[in-house]
Amino acid sequence: MTTPAEANQNPTRQHATRQLHLNAFLMSTGHHEASWRLPESNGLAGTDVAHFQRLARIAEAGRFDSIFFADSPVLGGDVGRRPSATLEPTVLLTAIAAVTEHIGLIATASTTYNDPYNLARRFASIDHVSGGRAGWNVVTTAGDEAAKNFSQPGQLAHFSRYERASEFLDVAQKLWDSWDDDATVVDKASGVWADHERVHAINHEGEHFQVQGALTVPRSPQGHPLIVQAGSSEDGKNFAAEHAEAVFVAHQTLQEAQAFYADLKQRTRDLGRDPESIKILPGIVPIIAATEAEARLLEQQLEDLIQPEFARQRLASLLGRSPASLPLDEQLPADLPHEDAIEGAKSRYILVVELARREHLTVRQLIGRLGGGRGHLVAVGTATQIADTIQTWFESKAADGFNIMPAVLPSGLQTFVEQVLPILRARGLFRTEYAGSTLREHYGLPRPQSRFAVERSLLGASA
């Protein structure tokens, strides 16, 4: 493996066969929970469409593969202490599609609190509106609070949520295939708008869903929107190995990331899929300045703005404890539940507890560590140091790219584009121009064939 130091000595070195995939994870004023308190931050950014359009254009100017919006169908946190208003992301993506041309558009949507037909229709519509740039981050949504917004007393069990998600995605993909690519003929002379034999009822009868179809939307430019997954529990990894084309994940150490990368690639291979058909993108929160000391100062300024009592309440909710049981200047209690007993956000619970135990952090220190990226890697330093970290993880088979999560927006994204990307390009690690027009092309993934067209072809060949 070429080291970052060697790459700096030979900045024109080219990586002919493998380049980074970069996604910009956008979140109102930034990923640091105190970013909204900075003088320059827009406290109403969460519902400001122009703010997100500007961020998307910055990311597109940097030739990012995609932008991404997380989502939850529950009002999270204490609205008295931090901005909590968020727009529904699939609606927001249509506004961003209108002011961009190339960048991929990914949004989270839950398989637990939707039906396949409405979500398949929505993402196919976004793919049409954007000219083939839609991606769906498939989540199962943990927590009793969300369940109570949908007439349910509490969340489904972890395994049950993933069982439902697998069937949900299967139905959605059938619906995306329910129109053949050549179904619409628009023959004005004969008065035939579409070939009805090439529009298919899917007639799905399953454990969770019974769906007739066909979809109201013709097959979209990508065939299927890009499928993204963001869980790293055992159930999550199994789901990703079977279905995902990109995976957003949180890791604190290179060794953890390498182990996850090798494991998920092997699970994908075991299911008969090409391991290169799934792109693994850990999250990284870059805090960049001219010197490392200045970057550390920026990090400390943000950490000083964290409200410990509010942060402790959120930590307590994740751990299933009362805030009073987590004294700020003591380490986590020894009697926390075993990970097997967690039915909520299992992978994030494991990450946080392991981080606290490994580094012997007090609750106050843990809150500080989580404030920047909720468990994602926080990289603090110069642009060259950030590029070195990205290159090391990429070339050490810990990542196929990164989920870039600026601590403060828009300044953090602008700095990354202006200072870090030129270094990565000089090392041959990242594109200078878009090579295609669709999100699948950005990620180097093929356009899926319609299952109904494949069946018809097979029947024709056997006739």
Side-chain angles (χ1 to χ4, degrees):
M1 184 190 79
T2 304
T3 66
E6 290 169 338
N8 291 337
Q9 293 168 8
N10 183 18
T12 60
R13 178 174 57 86
Q14 295 297 308
H15 295 245
T17 59
R18 188 168 179 253
Q19 288 196 327
L20 286 159
H21 297 286
L22 296 180
N23 174 76
F25 183 173
L26 304 180
M27 183 176 285
S28 62
T29 60
H31 283 270
H32 198 286
E33 70 171 64
S35 60
W36 72 278
R37 299 186 66 192
L38 295 173
E40 66 269 26
S41 289
N42 172 11
L44 300 177
T47 53
D48 185 347
V49 173
H51 168 75
F52 291 113
Q53 289 175 324
R54 177 187 176 192
L55 293 176
R57 287 194 292 263
I58 293 171
E60 185 168 70
R63 306 300 188 260
F64 273 69
D65 294 65
S66 49
I67 60 173
F68 163 59
F69 293 98
D71 190 47
S72 173
V74 61
L75 181 63
D78 181 349
V79 297
R81 298 298 184 94
R82 67 171 299 180
S84 301
T86 57
L87 296 172
E88 201 286 323
T90 61
V91 174
L92 180 58
L93 289 186
T94 62
I96 293 173
V99 299
T100 56
E101 296 180 1
H102 299 285
I103 197 161
L105 309 171
I106 303 173
T108 292
S110 173
T111 58
T112 305
Y113 301 115
N114 282 289
D115 278 319
Y117 196 92
N118 67 328
L119 273 195
R121 185 185 188 206
R122 192 179 310 164
F123 278 101
S125 297
I126 296 171
D127 209 46
H128 278 288
V129 168
S130 65
R133 295 185 281 142
W136 172 19
N137 178 40
V138 181
V139 301
T140 62
T141 309
D144 292 339
E145 295 84 358
K148 292 174 182 177
N149 285 341
F150 293 88
S151 305
Q152 298 182 23
Q155 67 181 347
L156 294 173
H158 193 272
F159 179 74
S160 297
R161 295 201 306 273
Y162 276 98
E163 270 196 331
R164 175 185 166 96
S166 186
E167 185 182 342
F168 191 115
L169 185 55
D170 178 51
V171 176
Q173 290 173 331
K174 288 177 181 176
L175 288 166
W176 291 328
D177 287 346
S178 62
W179 291 63
D180 290 354
D181 287 314
D182 56 356
T184 52
V185 295
V186 194
D187 187 338
K188 295 182 180 180
S190 66
V192 176
W193 184 80
D195 182 347
H196 64 83
E197 292 185 356
R198 301 197 175 190
V199 180
H200 312 276
I202 68 169
N203 295 319
H204 176 89
E205 294 287 338
E207 180 179 351
H208 300 279
F209 305 107
Q210 295 77 45
V211 181
Q212 177 177 301
L215 206 59
T216 63
V217 185
R219 201 156 194 260
S220 72
Q222 292 189 110
H224 298 177
L226 185 81
I227 299 300
V228 183
Q229 188 267 352
S232 56
S233 65
E234 284 299 304
D235 291 333
K237 286 186 285 189
N238 289 333
F239 183 87
E242 183 175 359
H243 300 291
E245 294 163 309
V247 175
F248 297 157
V249 65
H251 295 301
Q252 284 288 316
T253 69
L254 176 62
Q255 293 72 28
E256 289 174 351
Q258 288 172 316
F260 179 91
Y261 186 95
D263 180 28
L264 188 53
K265 294 285 187 175
Q266 185 60 52
R267 291 178 194 233
T268 304
R269 184 181 292 108
D270 291 343
L271 290 174
R273 294 180 61 194
D274 179 359
E276 291 303 309
S277 69
I278 185 168
K279 310 299 182 183
I280 299 174
L281 282 69
I284 185 171
V285 182
I287 300 179
I288 308 163
T291 67
E292 183 178 349
E294 291 176 18
R296 294 289 176 194
L297 181 60
L298 290 175
E299 180 186 36
Q300 188 60 52
Q301 289 172 342
L302 285 165
E303 189 169 325
D304 289 344
L305 293 173
I306 293 175
Q307 301 181 70
E309 287 303 323
F310 170 52
R312 183 170 68 160
Q313 290 175 12
R314 288 188 293 107
L315 177 62
S317 177
L318 173 69
L319 300 178
R321 301 295 291 260
S322 69
S325 71
L326 302 175
L328 285 170
D329 295 309
E330 296 181 15
Q331 295 183 24
L332 293 182
D335 61 345
L336 291 176
H338 188 272
E339 62 189 62
D340 292 340
I342 300 300
E343 293 291 350
K346 188 186 292 282
S347 59
R348 192 52 51 91
Y349 174 91
I350 294 169
L351 184 149
V352 169
V353 173
E354 287 184 350
L355 170 63
R357 303 286 196 223
R358 181 175 60 246
E359 300 190 19
H360 308 289
L361 301 175
T362 66
V363 169
R364 189 186 303 276
Q365 291 169 329
L366 179 60
I367 285 169
R369 291 289 297 275
L370 298 176
R374 303 173 305 285
H376 290 275
L377 178 69
V378 178
V380 183
T382 66
T384 298
Q385 288 174 311
I386 303 303
D388 287 348
T389 297
I390 288 173
Q391 180 176 353
T392 296
W393 282 46
F394 179 61
E395 294 187 335
S396 300
K397 294 189 176 180
D400 294 309
F402 285 86
N403 216 4
I404 306 301
M405 303 167 57
V408 181
L409 288 169
S411 60
L413 180 61
Q414 189 75 56
T415 299
F416 186 88
V417 167
E418 293 176 352
Q419 298 185 22
V420 179
L421 288 186
I423 298 171
L424 296 175
R425 289 193 176 105
R427 298 178 184 181
L429 291 165
F430 191 61
R431 68 171 66 89
T432 56
E433 294 294 339
Y434 289 108
S437 60
T438 71
L439 178 54
R440 287 186 168 278
E441 290 174 317
H442 300 342
Y443 278 86
L445 298 170
R447 185 179 189 270
Q449 285 187 286
S450 164
R451 69 189 66 198
F452 294 105
V454 170
E455 289 173 3
R456 186 173 66 246
S457 176
L458 291 173
L459 286 172
S462 63

